[in-house]
Amino acid sequence: MAEKVVEIRDLYKSFGDLHVLKGVDLDLFREENLVVLGRSGTGKSVLIKIMVGLLKQDKGQMNVLGKEVSQLATKELNELRLKIGFSFQNSALYDSMTVRENMEFPLVRNIKNLTKKEITMRIEELLDAVGLPNTINQMPSELSGGQKKRIGVARTLILNPEIMLYDEPTAGLDPITCVDINNLINEVRERYKTTSIVITHDLTCAKMTGDRMAVLLDGQFSSIGTFEEVFPHAEDKRVKSFYDYNFIES
Amino acid sequence: MAEESDDRKPLLSKKIDKFFTGLADAWNFVRRFWKEVFLPPYEFKEVIHQCYRIGVESLPLISLTGFIVGIVFTNQSRPSLSEFGATSWLPSLISIAVVRAMGPLVTALIAAGKVGSSIGAEIGSMKVTEQIDAMEVSATNPFKFLVVTRVLATTFMIPILVLYTDFVALMGSFLNVNSNELVSLSTFFFQVFESISFLDIWSSVLKSLLFGFTIGIVGCYKGYHSSKGTEGVGRAANSAVVISMFLIFIEELLVLQVVNAIRTF
Ligand SMILES: Nc1ncnc2c1ncn2[C@@H]1O[C@H](COP(=O)(O)OP(=O)(O)OP(=O)(O)O)[C@@H](O)[C@H]1O
Ligand SMILES: [Mg+2]
């Protein structure tokens, strides 16, 4: 079996009286694409934020690339973060900077001694990879939602991450753009050999991009497996309804 | 009845708790600034950019206000002085009032309104739209890039703006004096420099450094800790202005005590 990149054991997180994660267990293997599904507010974003140390769990293990995230000092945490690309639900582009400056920002601060030319080449390569070669001098406010998502992905790819975390990459986009983004996720994985977690509500996206699905229900993963294993014959009514609402035609 | 007072007690103590945790948070924020300001990497380019922005943002308003303050203050002081036939003292009176108090205060209050609110709103909206989180997960230090640069910029720029306001206010005053008492520019400024001391200028600059620091740090703190939603951003901007204005007046009072103590030596 492939190497484990992420190992989550019995993870708990609550905000005051709101218990969001209640004993999450999950393994992520190298170069696989895992899709995390779940209804709004079930704690999908919270889970991957714990993974990069933006939030801290109350209890349990979050082991990423062999390190317990909550135990890391700032310096080690930053070293780990360099290996993880986090694509935010709402893109989170720096809106006072151009696309070029957005992409330069992490690059020049983490990799020293790059020449101007090398930086530009790297940015252009990635903008090409996400299919937006001519946006380099635009401001985020001039981009559409789908374009922002792509630039967000390009920005996280600029540091060559081993793990990519996509938080709802297709939310709020038209079906055709969704397919484009799904293809992008697959391409990124082929080209840069990343391991990824894709969070989504969208089963088309899940089916297209995921090797395995994991459904987050009531603070735990209820079923984990391939699309065929999890969905068409789901026993849990809540998982089943997820499927039924997405594929009314089938 | 008993139930009601039971309900109230936790609410009150909750409020007190909230006040003190807020105070501790703010204190930690200031400490973090002093720690990070000396540690590399330094964001020089961003500091310059912020200085420029602060200058451009507040210059028009400060010019206008300073000028009007100079004219109005001179005009209003004239009757009382002329009662004693002492209108020739106007330049001295005005220069002391402007350099010691009006210049720094007017500049700081306007900058609190203009710069403080824009810092609060900008950082607040970056917080709310997860841009600060995005910086953090890309292994960069948002505190350094956003907070340290802006606080340094306000701290350096406010004293410069204060000197500029002093000058503009004195020019306004000169126009008024010139049209009423027919005093020439050189006589006016000779009297001005005669009456203000080295201590006046120094204390005014030091005070302005303090005001600048306050405006920057309060704006950043409020933005950095703004709550979710666009409403949170508005509230951050608003309370940045209110709190920094409040603190500016308190600091003015304290500095006044210190300077008076020095003067009596
Ligand atoms: N920083 C926070 N402070 C307090 N509560 C939070 C915080 N972050 C998330 N929550 C709460 O945790 C719950 C889960 O949030 P989360 O963002 O993970 O949902 P989600 O599964 O990603 O939903 P969506 O699909 O809508 O993005 C929500 O009820 C949210 O209100
Ligand atoms: Mg989410």
Side-chain angles (χ1 to χ4, degrees), chain A residues 15 18 20 39-46 55 89 168 201:
Chain A
F15 298 99
L18 181 70
V20 180
R39 295 189 53 186
S40 198
T42 46
K44 306 180 298 294
S45 301
V46 168
L55 292 172
Q89 194 163 347
E168 305 200 8
H201 307 281

Side-chain angles (χ1 to χ4, degrees), chain A residues 49 52 54 78 81-82 84 86 88 90 92-97 105-106 109-110 155 159, chain B residues 41 43 122 125-126 128-141 145 150 228:
Chain A
K49 280 181 185 168
V52 289
L54 280 177
N78 279 339
R81 281 170 171 171
L82 288 179
I84 307 176
F86 193 119
F88 280 83
N90 47 25
L93 295 181
Y94 310 133
D95 47 25
S96 60
M97 304 182 199
F105 189 86
R109 280 170 183 76
N110 286 303
R155 187 179 67 184
L159 292 168
Chain B
E43 302 276 358
E122 190 189 11
S125 75
M126 291 188 73
V128 169
T129 57
E130 298 182 309
Q131 294 176 48
I132 294 184
D133 286 345
M135 287 186 180
E136 210 151 300
V137 295
S138 64
T140 53
N141 185 341
F145 182 76
R150 279 166 179 74
K228 290 273 168 194

Side-chain angles (χ1 to χ4, degrees), chain A residues 1 6 20-21 25 32 42 49 54-56 62 65 74 81-82 89 112 114 133 135 149 151 153 155 163 181 237 240:
Chain A
M1 200 171 242
V6 178
V20 180
L21 301 178
D25 291 302
E32 80 164 329
T42 46
K49 280 181 185 168
L54 280 177
L55 292 172
K56 223 172 198 156
M62 170 64 79
L65 295 168
T74 316
R81 281 170 171 171
L82 288 179
Q89 194 163 347
K112 303 286 167 209
L114 285 175
T135 50
K149 288 253 156 86
I151 301 290
V153 171
R155 187 179 67 184
I163 305 173
I181 298 259
K237 243 171 71 187
K240 187 89 172 77

Side-chain angles (χ1 to χ4, degrees), chain B residues 220-232:
Chain B
C220 288
Y221 174 77
K222 279 292 160 189
Y224 223 77
H225 292 261
S226 74
S227 51
K228 290 273 168 194
T230 37
E231 196 200 330

